Amino acid sequence: MVWVQRELQLHPFSRGFHLITSTVWEAIPEAIEMEVGLLHLFIQHTSASLTINENADPDVRVDLEETMNHLVPQELPYVHSMEGPDDMPAHVKASLMGSSLSVPITHGRLALGMWQGIYLCEHRDHAGPRSLVLTIFGVDPNTM
Amino acid sequence: MVWVQRELQLHPFSRGFHLITSTVWEAIPEAIEMEVGLLHLFIQHTSASLTINENADPDVRVDLEETMNHLVPQELPYVHSMEGPDDMPAHVKASLMGSSLSVPITHGRLALGMWQGIYLCEHRDHAGPRSLVLTIFGVDPNTM
Amino acid sequence: MVWVQRELQLHPFSRGFHLITSTVWEAIPEAIEMEVGLLHLFIQHTSASLTINENADPDVRVDLEETMNHLVPQELPYVHSMEGPDDMPAHVKASLMGSSLSVPITHGRLALGMWQGIYLCEHRDHAGPRSLVLTIFGVDPNTM
């Protein structure tokens, strides 16, 4: 049984959906030794989130952002509004997308589908760096 | 510590919400030996998703589909539209529902509530087969 | 490798978003001994859910509830309506928020960000007690 856990600091992103698959993968080189396991990602913030979606067409990222803005409009009469009109919608979007993700690891690789990528969803207009906690756990070929 | 991971290929489903609890359960017979553990399900696609919801009244499945169509209408001005009007809404719904699920295993059974079932959410009009990665991990009575 | 799994019964909550971080934490004292691990929470119901969001300003909880009501209005023409106008929207909200959560455990503490708290989202007007299954698994300093 192998356990590795570490923090990954992401540089500030603009509001929107950003592919981070390779950044995440490079941060956990120990996964290559894993025969069967899971990668768990957790974001330590409440106005940004994590999701898995289409990794190819950049238009998908534009539409994801626009559709989430349609779903959770800035114009609702929010009570929590001191930090600006993008703040409370960001909290709602964070709960809709989710603060954690998990992906199987198989034969030393993420078992993502061909079109899947891991996204950092930045819901604020002017966000700072975001920190993730990455955890991989599973078994290597020698211990199976 | 027991780890089992395998792919489960699901036949094509019509657009909508479909109960797959027993199909999933039958694919992981090793779970019966598990005293305490978790089942992790992962769908390798970005226009179908997984959720847990009410397993009894078929009307719930109709309403889930209709409400998701209300939330993410096909009529928004999507940029990514080459694959048809159901495609981009499918991507958004997939992120809202999520691409993975996890359910506790207790004394060799899924610890689902009485009314809970596992759903495959098919968001496309004419989808092909969908592949899931099932992972169970935990301890059997002998190793606790 | 340490595994602990137990049920946590929550008293009935009013409709809305309720912080349960400390209730959950007190139910799993074994986590203090864990060097690296994960906490998995699972709710055994389909009209209440779990999420992580802002733990400080009570206004956020009001806005979360109001925004979810905006997203999933009670006035849609639901087929499944025998249990009252709050029932079917509750099922949809439960799938949007999710029935499970997982949080890293690091050096005997939940690796939540400073502003993060764990929420029970009660989507029904007159709900009974809700039961969660808590699972912690990981390694203690002696077995790393």
Side-chain angles (χ1 to χ4, degrees):
Chain A
M1 190 69 199
V2 182
W3 277 84
V4 177
Q5 188 175 78
R6 66 173 60 99
E7 219 180 292
L8 171 64
Q9 194 86 2
L10 298 174
H11 64 76
F13 279 109
S14 60
R15 178 164 160 174
F17 287 71
H18 304 276
L19 275 172
I20 57 167
T21 316
S22 56
T23 307
V24 167
W25 183 244
E26 284 158 20
I28 42 157
E30 297 89 346
I32 296 173
E33 310 289 334
M34 228 172 243
E35 183 59 23
V36 167
L38 286 169
L39 161 65
H40 182 268
L41 298 93
F42 183 78
I43 187 163
Q44 294 183 306
H45 305 270
T46 61
S47 54
S49 59
L50 297 167
T51 198
I52 286 177
N53 217 295
E54 215 257 28
N55 61 16
D57 182 359
D59 288 345
V60 169
R61 292 156 228 175
V62 175
D63 284 339
L64 282 169
E65 172 65 17
E66 291 306 318
T67 311
M68 291 306 291
N69 294 338
H70 171 83
L71 248 81
V72 189
Q74 296 200 169
E75 295 70 30
L76 292 182
Y78 300 109
V79 190
H80 177 84
S81 58
M82 276 193 314
E83 291 176 56
D86 60 321
D87 184 47
M88 191 58 222
H91 290 311
V92 178
K93 291 169 184 173
S95 274
L96 290 173
M97 293 284 114
S99 56
S100 67
L101 268 192
S102 44
V103 182
I105 297 170
T106 314
H107 306 315
R109 302 185 55 175
L110 293 178
L112 291 167
M114 189 195 296
W115 303 104
Q116 288 183 309
I118 301 173
Y119 277 91
L120 183 280
C121 322
E122 179 53 71
H123 304 304
R124 297 301 308 267
D125 286 334
H126 306 289
R130 301 297 196 174
S131 84
L132 307 185
V133 179
L134 308 182
T135 308
I136 56 173
F137 53 105
V139 282
D140 59 38
N142 302 322
T143 61
M144 282 198 83
Chain B
M1 191 68 198
V2 182
W3 277 86
V4 178
Q5 188 176 79
R6 67 174 58 97
E7 218 180 294
L8 171 62
Q9 193 87 3
L10 298 174
H11 64 77
F13 279 109
S14 60
R15 178 165 160 173
F17 286 71
H18 304 276
L19 275 171
I20 57 167
T21 317
S22 56
T23 306
V24 166
W25 183 244
E26 284 158 21
I28 42 158
E30 298 89 345
I32 296 173
E33 311 288 335
M34 228 172 244
E35 184 58 23
V36 166
L38 287 169
L39 161 63
H40 183 267
L41 299 92
F42 183 79
I43 188 164
Q44 293 183 306
H45 305 269
T46 61
S47 56
S49 60
L50 298 166
T51 197
I52 286 178
N53 217 295
E54 215 256 30
N55 61 17
D57 182 359
D59 288 345
V60 168
R61 292 157 228 176
V62 175
D63 285 339
L64 282 168
E65 172 64 17
E66 291 305 319
T67 311
M68 290 306 289
N69 293 337
H70 171 84
L71 248 81
V72 189
Q74 297 200 169
E75 295 71 30
L76 292 181
Y78 300 108
V79 189
H80 176 85
S81 59
M82 276 191 317
E83 292 176 55
D86 60 321
D87 184 46
M88 191 57 223
H91 290 311
V92 178
K93 291 168 183 173
S95 274
L96 289 172
M97 293 283 114
S99 55
S100 68
L101 268 190
S102 44
V103 182
I105 296 170
T106 313
H107 306 317
R109 301 185 54 174
L110 292 179
L112 290 167
M114 189 194 295
W115 304 104
Q116 289 183 309
I118 300 172
Y119 277 91
L120 183 280
C121 322
E122 178 54 71
H123 304 303
R124 296 301 308 267
D125 286 334
H126 305 290
R130 299 298 196 173
S131 83
L132 307 185
V133 179
L134 309 182
T135 308
I136 56 173
F137 53 104
V139 282
D140 61 35
N142 301 323
T143 60
M144 280 199 82
Chain C
M1 189 71 199
V2 182
W3 277 84
V4 178
Q5 189 176 78
R6 66 174 58 98
E7 216 179 293
L8 171 64
Q9 193 86 3
L10 298 175
H11 65 76
F13 280 107
S14 60
R15 177 165 160 174
F17 287 72
H18 304 276
L19 274 172
I20 57 167
T21 317
S22 55
T23 306
V24 167
W25 183 244
E26 284 157 21
I28 42 158
E30 297 89 346
I32 296 174
E33 311 288 334
M34 228 171 243
E35 184 58 23
V36 166
L38 286 169
L39 160 64
H40 183 267
L41 298 93
F42 183 79
I43 188 164
Q44 293 184 306
H45 305 269
T46 62
S47 56
S49 60
L50 297 167
T51 197
I52 286 178
N53 217 296
E54 215 258 27
N55 62 16
D57 182 359
D59 287 346
V60 168
R61 292 157 228 175
V62 175
D63 285 339
L64 281 169
E65 172 65 17
E66 291 306 319
T67 311
M68 290 306 289
N69 293 338
H70 171 83
L71 246 81
V72 190
Q74 296 200 170
E75 295 71 29
L76 292 182
Y78 300 109
V79 189
H80 176 85
S81 59
M82 278 193 315
E83 292 176 56
D86 60 322
D87 185 46
M88 192 57 223
H91 290 312
V92 179
K93 290 169 184 172
S95 274
L96 290 172
M97 293 283 113
S99 56
S100 68
L101 268 191
S102 44
V103 182
I105 297 171
T106 314
H107 306 317
R109 301 184 56 174
L110 292 178
L112 290 167
M114 190 195 294
W115 303 105
Q116 287 183 309
I118 300 172
Y119 277 90
L120 183 281
C121 323
E122 179 54 71
H123 304 303
R124 296 301 308 265
D125 286 335
H126 305 288
R130 299 298 195 173
S131 84
L132 307 186
V133 179
L134 309 182
T135 308
I136 54 173
F137 53 105
V139 282
D140 60 37
N142 302 322
T143 60
M144 280 197 84

